[in-house]
Every structure is written in structure tokens, then in C-alpha cells.
Amino acid sequence: MNPSIEKTMVARMAGKIGIKFNIYYAFLFVINLFTLLLCFWDVKGIVLFAFTLGFSMYIRILLTQREEQRLTNELLEELIERTK
């Protein structure tokens, strides 16, 4: 995680609760909040809100896959070092 983000109040609270927080999640939160407010202002915002929710789910899947790949690589490195 970026050190400047770790110092924010939101990141500290997310750490206490156990929620992962980074700049990607902050961006997704802001864009979804904006489109939700747009839904209240204009009916056309519902389509944008559905699109941004789908985009958020896609980005979340990509971030999860990246984290799982990183953990797998760490485990493989440990196994390789043990066999040496």
C-alpha cells in the first residue's frame, strides 16, 4: 500500500475493521458515489450507475486475481528455497 494512503483516517479505520483499502478502491468508491448522486438528479444516471457497478466488480476481480497470484508466487519461492 502507498505510504501516503496508509496515513489517512479512512485507511486507518479500514485497517482496524479488516477491510483492504488502496487507491483503486478509493477511486471506485468516489465514482460509484458520484453516479449514485446522479441517479437522484436524473433518471439517465441509473444506466451509468449500473455501468460503474459492473466496472467496479470487474476491477475487484482483477485485484483479487493479482493478489492471489502474488501469494502463489511467494509460496512457490518458499518451496523452491526449501528444496535447495
Side-chain angles (χ1 to χ4, degrees), residues 3 8 16 18 27 33 37 41 44 47 66 69 71 77:
T8 63
K16 288 179 183 177
F27 170 73
L33 182 64
L37 293 175
W41 187 56
K44 296 174 189 172
V47 174
R66 185 176 73 176
Q69 184 64 45
L71 291 172
E77 287 176 4

Side-chain angles (χ1 to χ4, degrees), residues 1-19:
M1 187 183 303
N2 189 347
S4 61
I5 292 175
E6 289 177 354
K7 295 178 183 177
T8 63
M9 181 59 79
V10 175
R12 288 181 191 160
M13 290 182 67
K16 288 179 183 177
I17 297 172
I19 299 172

Side-chain angles (χ1 to χ4, degrees), residues 38-71:
L38 186 62
C39 286
F40 293 124
W41 187 56
D42 190 12
V43 177
K44 296 174 189 172
I46 294 172
V47 174
L48 286 174
F49 186 63
F51 177 76
T52 57
L53 283 178
F55 178 71
S56 298
M57 288 186 271
Y58 175 72
I59 295 297
R60 176 69 175 125
I61 289 170
L62 289 178
L63 290 173
T64 302
Q65 288 175 346
R66 185 176 73 176
E67 183 177 344
E68 287 176 356
Q69 184 64 45
R70 184 176 43 83
L71 291 172

